[in-house]
């Protein structure tokens, strides 16, 4: 993991805000590329998107939502059938179970409505903080830092967190980024990780964040 130059908390906050400003310029319309019509559909597509691509999920969900138009319909789905239907997104057994269990929880405890707060969302079976933050930010317009694989990797390379655990990275980023910008920061950093700071071969020479990134300096031998 890269070592950020020794910085005070204030200096790190200032650097994080300059990173945010550049990311917003680079990706002015950043938002999730997953397609959904309401908070419940977003819950389902987010479960399906784990370890998959948005493109793959967007191919599966139109047919799925025609067949299962509500939490009630998913709650009654046969696991083996749903597994087949979501097979192409990977981890299909786990995802089918998570969808059915979360839908049953919604029916039993929330009248079939997706709740709009972190505690209630994470009380649903199969829903962790990442999924909850996606729903809060993209369905309800509330601030949320989404630590997916791109945000995790980029935060470490940018020296904004030394943690590996997504929940701890989320706390580190919450301290550095103003609350109102949490969602923008997540969405832009996801795209930065997807297209520039890629897992295998980060494109440092053409990266807008080069002068703010300790990994770039390490790569340059500085
Ligand atoms: S300079 Fe390189 S390592 Fe740093 S954010 Fe850009 S692409 Fe990633």
């Amino acid at each position: 993991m890269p070592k950020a130059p020794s910085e005070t908390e204030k200096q790190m906050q200032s650097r994080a805000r300059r990173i945010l400003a550049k990311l917003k310029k680079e990706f002015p319309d950043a938002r999730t590329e997953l397609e959904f019509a309401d908070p419940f559909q977003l819950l389902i597509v987010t479960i399906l998107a784990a370890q998959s691509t948005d493109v793959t999920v967007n191919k599966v969900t139109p047919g799925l939502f025609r067949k299962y138009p509500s939490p009630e319909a998913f709650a009654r789905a046969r696991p083996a059938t749903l597994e087949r239907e979501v097979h192409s997104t990977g981890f299909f057994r786990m995802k089918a179970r998570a969808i059915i269990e979360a839908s049953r929880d919604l029916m039993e405890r929330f009248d079939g409505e997706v709740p709009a707060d972190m505690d209630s969302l994470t009380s649903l079976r199969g829903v962790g903080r990442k999924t909850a933050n996606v729903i809060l930010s993209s369905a309800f317009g509330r601030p949320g830092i989404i630590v997916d694989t791109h945000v995790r990797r980029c935060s470490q390379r940018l020296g904004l967190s030394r943690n590996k655990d997504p929940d701890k990275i989320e706390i580190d980023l919450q301290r550095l980024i103003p609350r109102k910008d949490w969602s923008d920061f997540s969405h832009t950093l996801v795209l930065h990780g997807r297209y520039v700071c890629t897992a295998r071969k980060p494109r440092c020479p053409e990266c807008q964040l080069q002068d703010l990134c300790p990994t770039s300096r390490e790569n340059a031998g500085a």
Side-chain angles (χ1 to χ4, degrees), residues 154 157-158 192 196-198 202-204 207-210 213-216 219:
C154 293
R157 286 180 179 167
L158 285 162
H192 184 73
V196 184
C197 191
T198 52
R203 295 159 61 188
C204 300
C207 176
Q208 305 285 320
L209 307 180
Q210 224 184 346
C213 177
T215 300
S216 170
N219 288 346

Side-chain angles (χ1 to χ4, degrees), residues 54-95:
D54 294 355
V55 174
T56 303
V57 173
N58 289 341
K59 278 185 195 156
V60 169
T61 46
L64 204 60
F65 292 141
R66 267 196 302 278
K67 179 169 179 188
Y68 306 99
S70 64
E72 197 178 0
F74 274 111
R76 285 201 305 254
R78 287 188 57 236
T81 306
L82 189 55
E83 284 172 12
R84 269 200 309 281
E85 289 163 337
V86 302
H87 187 276
S88 62
T89 68
F91 297 93
F92 55 93
R93 285 200 185 90
M94 186 195 76
K95 290 178 182 178

